[in-house]
Amino acid sequence: CPLEKGTFMDMMYMPDALDAMVDIMEADPSKLIHRNSFNVTAMSFDPEILYNTIKKYIPTFEMEYKPEPIKQAIANSWPNSLDDSCARNEWGWNPKYDLDKMSVDMIDSLRKKIEDIAQLGYTEKDVVKMTKSNPTILGLSLDNIATKIEDMKQLGYTEVQITRMTKKLPAIFGYNIESMTQRIEDVVKLGYTQEEVIQMTKVFPAIFGYEIERIEKRISEPLGTKVKILNGEKKGKIENNIFREFNNINIMIKDVANIKHLQHPFQID
């Protein structure tokens, strides 16, 4: 948790926030003393209260405190609770969700989303791991995810390959197909065939997130030690930070080299 124990904040579940906006627009104007400016709130809790609530529904749930100064400062600048009595009195504001109802609804929704995504060829364990690295997946509809998989098939990937790629880089679900197609075309212009680029992105799907100038720079800078091509045509030297996700240079070179031969064609002297 990025906040300290005992840090109380006012909270509201999004369905209640949406209801509040509709309710104020539909309110009887003759009863509005403050017109369209109101405080609305639903609950106030600190991290410990939230933890204990979740723990009731997920007994294995654990939380550790790792306060972040910037977030803590923002939280400290906010009130512990708001007075929304005017909204309640003038147009009948009354939130439907308290902490328990919100927690149950969120947990049920998350479980359903995980189960739905798992039906696309992932295990539930895969989905949980993916959403930890890219929580925005949980905001995508199942149709959006299925459409992205179909789009990637049109680029030449199989369903199994797409599953492996999105496990490595769940952010792919947020890329549009046009930008992915353009990235493949850009890398082809650097001297690779389209087939090689496809193979390359299977190993390093993060390529889709790189600027083409960065890729060009990485493949043109020397490693400082000679790179030999044992199999195939030389495509250029590889700098040790070409893909920062890989800390072991030998693994990195082996994987990049495998785009064509799958036999560790690069060797460092």
Side-chain angles (χ1 to χ4, degrees):
C1 175
L3 301 180
E4 297 172 357
K5 185 177 180 179
T7 303
F8 278 82
M9 297 181 69
D10 244 12
M11 294 289 174
M12 183 188 299
Y13 197 27
M14 187 56 71
D16 274 334
L18 296 174
D19 284 345
M21 288 189 288
V22 173
D23 289 349
I24 183 62
M25 288 189 287
E26 296 180 344
D28 182 351
S30 66
K31 296 181 179 180
L32 301 182
I33 299 173
H34 298 85
R35 302 305 300 169
N36 60 354
S37 180
F38 293 90
N39 290 331
V40 287
T41 185
M43 62 195 91
S44 178
F45 54 82
D46 76 338
E48 198 71 14
I49 293 174
L50 178 60
Y51 164 74
N52 288 324
T53 302
I54 296 174
K55 189 84 170 174
K56 286 194 297 186
Y57 305 106
I58 307 178
T60 58
F61 177 73
E62 296 296 336
M63 179 183 76
E64 61 177 315
Y65 287 96
K66 290 185 177 180
E68 298 178 18
I70 294 177
K71 292 180 180 179
Q72 185 65 49
I74 294 172
N76 290 342
S77 70
W78 291 356
N80 290 349
S81 62
L82 294 172
D83 178 6
D84 64 355
S85 58
C86 291
R88 293 174 185 267
N89 294 333
E90 292 178 34
W91 47 276
W93 162 242
N94 185 28
K96 297 182 179 69
Y97 291 89
D98 59 14
L99 180 54
D100 275 282
K101 287 183 179 178
M102 178 185 73
S103 299
V104 169
D105 190 68
M106 291 183 73
I107 290 169
D108 288 346
S109 296
L110 288 171
R111 282 176 172 157
K112 180 65 166 58
K113 178 57 68 71
I114 289 171
E115 291 171 359
D116 287 344
I117 296 176
Q119 294 176 11
L120 297 175
Y122 306 91
T123 66
E124 289 192 12
K125 185 176 180 180
D126 289 335
V127 179
V128 170
K129 186 176 180 181
M130 289 162 64
T131 53
K132 284 181 180 179
S133 64
N134 189 6
T136 56
I137 293 173
L138 296 171
L140 298 175
S141 71
L142 197 62
D143 286 343
N144 284 340
I145 295 174
T147 297
K148 178 53 61 68
I149 291 173
E150 290 303 315
D151 286 344
M152 290 182 68
K153 286 181 184 177
Q154 300 302 313
L155 294 178
Y157 302 100
T158 67
E159 233 174 86
V160 172
Q161 290 165 350
I162 295 168
T163 301
R164 289 174 181 166
M165 291 168 67
T166 50
K167 284 182 191 178
K168 287 184 179 181
L169 188 72
I172 286 178
F173 285 124
Y175 299 162
N176 62 57
I177 196 66
E178 292 78 14
S179 66
M180 295 176 73
T181 303
Q182 184 61 54
R183 182 50 38 80
I184 291 173
E185 293 174 356
D186 288 343
V187 178
V188 167
K189 292 176 183 177
L190 297 179
Y192 296 92
T193 67
Q194 184 160 328
E195 181 182 3
E196 287 173 338
V197 178
I198 294 295
Q199 293 296 326
M200 200 172 181
T201 53
K202 290 176 189 176
V203 177
F204 293 107
I207 290 172
F208 286 120
Y210 289 172
E211 295 296 330
I212 191 63
E213 292 80 9
R214 181 183 180 188
I215 298 174
E216 187 172 18
K217 180 180 179 183
R218 291 291 182 257
I219 66 174
S220 63
E221 291 180 351
L223 184 65
T225 53
K226 187 179 179 182
V227 177
K228 284 185 178 180
I229 307 293
L230 302 184
N231 297 299
E233 178 186 355
K234 182 174 181 180
K235 293 294 181 183
K237 296 181 179 179
I238 299 179
E239 192 262 348
N240 62 343
N241 285 325
I242 181 171
F243 297 113
R244 296 182 184 276
E245 289 80 1
F246 290 80
N247 296 321
N248 186 307
I249 188 62
N250 291 318
I251 293 176
M252 181 274 292
I253 290 179
K254 176 178 181 292
D255 286 340
V256 175
N258 283 349
I259 61 171
K260 190 170 184 180
H261 299 285
L262 305 178
Q263 294 177 7
H264 198 333
F266 290 96
Q267 174 180 301
I268 298 180
D269 287 345

